[in-house]
Amino acid sequence: MMDSNIIWNEAEGNAYADGNPYKGPEAVLNGVFARIGEEHEYFNLKDIELHEMFNDKVLATLRYDAKRNNGNSYDAQVAHFWTLKDGKVVGFQQYVDTKKLNDALTK
């Protein structure tokens, strides 16, 4: 569902923001999703609420329920801001409680 020219941004302060902006589906897959899969025992999205907006914009509010391979878990408040064009995602911006994510890296 990603456009071949998607621009994807992880939240500032998130460890995965080191590749911002990710350009194209392969960059998103390797820079974000593969790393999440490698570094987590589990990573779930919960309490997802979609808020339709104007001009092909969608806001999703949700929580990350996750456990890192180091045994640390977190339950973080999140918002995803999506931009769509012709039924595909062309833009993504993540907003998240990066303190909770970063605490799980080190504790």
Side-chain angles (χ1 to χ4, degrees):
M1 297 303 299
M2 290 184 202
D3 184 84
S4 60
N5 295 310
I6 187 170
I7 301 296
W8 183 286
N9 285 286
E10 292 289 296
E12 293 177 3
N14 182 344
Y16 302 133
D18 60 352
N20 282 354
Y22 294 94
K23 297 178 182 176
E26 189 171 323
V28 175
L29 174 65
N30 294 325
V32 180
F33 293 113
R35 291 167 67 186
I36 289 171
E38 291 169 1
E39 298 172 4
H40 288 79
E41 185 176 318
Y42 63 83
F43 186 94
N44 298 310
L45 307 178
K46 67 179 189 179
D47 302 331
I48 300 169
E49 242 184 277
L50 298 177
H51 310 272
E52 187 173 352
M53 301 174 73
F54 299 101
N55 299 323
D56 294 321
K57 308 280 194 247
V58 176
L59 177 68
T61 53
L62 58 145
R63 298 194 74 84
Y64 293 161
D65 174 32
K67 184 174 183 181
R68 295 191 61 86
N69 291 338
N70 65 7
N72 295 331
S73 10
Y74 57 91
D75 180 9
Q77 183 181 39
V78 185
H80 290 170
F81 183 64
W82 303 88
T83 303
L84 309 174
K85 183 177 179 183
D86 299 326
K88 292 192 175 190
V89 179
V90 295
F92 172 85
Q93 176 63 58
Q94 174 199 53
Y95 300 94
V96 63
D97 182 347
T98 55
K99 181 174 183 337
K100 283 189 178 182
L101 274 59
N102 290 325
D103 284 352
L105 282 171
T106 57
K107 286 186 179 176

